[in-house]
Amino acid sequence: MKNLLGQTPLDSKDFPQSDQLLSTIFEYMGKMSTETDISKMLLLLADLGTKLVQADRCTVWLRETATQTVWTVAGHGVERISISETSGIVGESLQSGILISVEDAYLDERFNIEVDRETGYRTRSMLCIPFTNQEGKIIGAFQAINKIGDSQFTRKDETLLTFASTYAGKSLDAFILQNELLETQKEIIETMGEIGESRSQETGNHVRRVAKYSYKLALLAGIPESRALLLRYASPMHDIGKVATPDSILLKPGKLTTEEFEHMKLHTVVGYNIFRNSERELLKTAAIIAYQHHERWDGQGYPRGIKEEQIHIFGRITAVADVFDALGSDRVYKNAWPLEKIVSYLEEQRGKQFDPTLIDLFLNHLDEFVTIRDSYTDRA
Ligand code: C2E
Ligand code: SIN
Ligand code: SIN
Ligand code: FE
Ligand code: FE
């Protein structure tokens, strides 16, 4: 063992002179520099590790502070594996910040045999090195298992894996931050959407479904993926303006009076005003959707009564998605409609309430929308 965080200086004679190794390193750095998916990044780093130290396999573990676990992916398309951040040799290395090299894991009392039990693998030699972020906080560990040829990991392997580990820390740190920001954004958006809906006793699943339908319909309409994603993340906020609607209206079990409905209509303008001054693409999109989701193709909608292509494509898409979902759901003021009745309504409103092209696309792919609906039901 040696203290990694104490920065034991690497001895230059330990560095391999082999062109082969250098070209491997450059090859992987090239691949990783364009990688945007964190799971794939972990697999690339693991591949690099196995090549550098000639291990049977390498695993890159990443810490998840909230759950006090470390996670990794076992292979392409394979689900995440999580273990406690204090368990096993990996855990010991994470807690202590030191490099650990063992000859036979089964003879080491720290070893957690669970992972082997699950995978049917026999771990023998193991090299485990923690890595840190810019602030020096340990964010994960690089683990090499079973030196090829049944021998032991050498001092040179330690040096090489330390290098890979340092590189992993630097590149994953940026990833985690980026990921964190994106996840936070998405969470805030969903939560905001739910605030609008929850007071009218609609579940969070309503906003999730509307998001999915909108995204799907956008792709069917030929909108590029990046724009469709923007719609998906913004559409949950279409009814955010309902926060300003009094309960007496929102929760009224029966039909609204004309006056009450006039008040209700304001939720579009309120939503628009919440987001309209933002510079952020996502919130600008949310502003458009909040403002336009009750406009109608024939110009009879609200708040402005704009028509046809004057209505942004995102507004037209969300209108279909929102009504499809509202009709299929129980509301305080109505029961859910059966699917046939919803379909005939959409057909009847083709070119009146809704963009005819979108209705054609929607009805031609009806089963896919129903599948989405059934995967996010309101009742257990
Ligand atoms: P919501 O419940 O989310 O409904 C969204 C849209 O789905 C409605 O927009 C309407 O286009 C369609 N929709 C929902 N239920 C029905 C229905 O039974 N028949 C038909 N033809 N369409 C339906 P709309 O009408 O502009 O309403 C906006 C929001 O105003 C509704 O959102 C709901 O929160 C509220 N609201 C509308 N009508 C009533 C009502 O009679 N009573 C109460 N308490 N609230 C209502
Ligand atoms: C351990 O670190 O003790 C077990 C984890 C593993 O084998 O991957
Ligand atoms: C489109 O109509 O293809 C895209 C519209 C938009 O992204 O605003
Ligand atoms: Fe609405
Ligand atoms: Fe809605």
Side-chain angles (χ1 to χ4, degrees), residues 173-186:
D173 190 25
F175 253 104
I176 292 166
L177 271 178
Q178 176 69 17
N179 213 40
E180 189 75 10
L181 279 175
L182 278 176
E183 290 305 312
T184 308
Q185 272 187 356
K186 287 185 203 162

Side-chain angles (χ1 to χ4, degrees), residues 197 200 202 206 238-239 242 248-256 261 264-265 267 293-294 302 319 322-327 329 331-335 337 345 349 353-354:
E197 302 287 358
S200 50
E202 291 151 29
H206 168 62
H238 66 273
D239 274 340
K242 283 182 182 173
S248 59
I249 297 178
L250 210 51
L251 303 180
K252 183 177 173 178
K255 198 158 169 50
L256 301 181
F261 196 62
M264 190 70 222
K265 287 179 180 174
H267 80 278
H293 72 282
H294 288 295
Y302 62 87
D322 185 37
V323 172
F324 176 70
D325 201 66
L327 294 178
S329 310
R331 291 285 196 260
V332 277
Y333 64 94
K334 62 169 265 291
N335 290 323
W337 290 11
Y345 182 79
Q349 293 297 326
Q353 187 170 357
F354 306 115

Side-chain angles (χ1 to χ4, degrees), residues 225-279:
E225 168 90 18
S226 61
R227 300 285 299 165
L229 279 172
L230 204 55
L231 173 63
R232 171 164 154 195
Y233 292 124
S235 66
M237 292 184 276
H238 66 273
D239 274 340
I240 187 78
K242 283 182 182 173
V243 291
T245 311
D247 280 352
S248 59
I249 297 178
L250 210 51
L251 303 180
K252 183 177 173 178
K255 198 158 169 50
L256 301 181
T257 65
T258 313
E259 199 185 323
E260 285 166 337
F261 196 62
E262 284 307 310
H263 202 123
M264 190 70 222
K265 287 179 180 174
L266 290 175
H267 80 278
T268 52
V269 183
V270 171
Y272 176 57
N273 285 330
I274 291 175
F275 299 120
R276 62 185 290 184
N277 292 320
S278 174
E279 294 292 320

Side-chain angles (χ1 to χ4, degrees), residues 17-43:
Q17 299 302 312
S18 144
D19 290 349
Q20 182 58 47
L21 274 181
L22 273 181
S23 70
T24 303
I25 291 169
F26 282 124
E27 179 198 334
Y28 276 88
M29 281 184 165
K31 284 187 198 165
M32 287 187 253
S33 66
T34 55
E35 187 52 70
T36 55
D37 180 297
I38 193 158
S39 297
K40 290 189 188 134
M41 186 74 183
L42 293 180
L43 292 171

Side-chain angles (χ1 to χ4, degrees), residues 281-314:
E281 197 69 19
L282 190 62
L283 299 185
K284 280 197 230 175
T285 306
I288 293 170
I289 293 167
Y291 204 20
Q292 302 192 6
H293 72 282
H294 288 295
E295 296 291 359
R296 293 171 50 114
W297 184 256
D298 61 12
Q300 301 302 301
Y302 62 87
R304 288 180 293 169
I306 54 175
K307 65 170 188 172
E308 299 175 10
E309 260 116 37
Q310 292 173 332
I311 310 167
H312 193 284
I313 182 72
F314 287 172

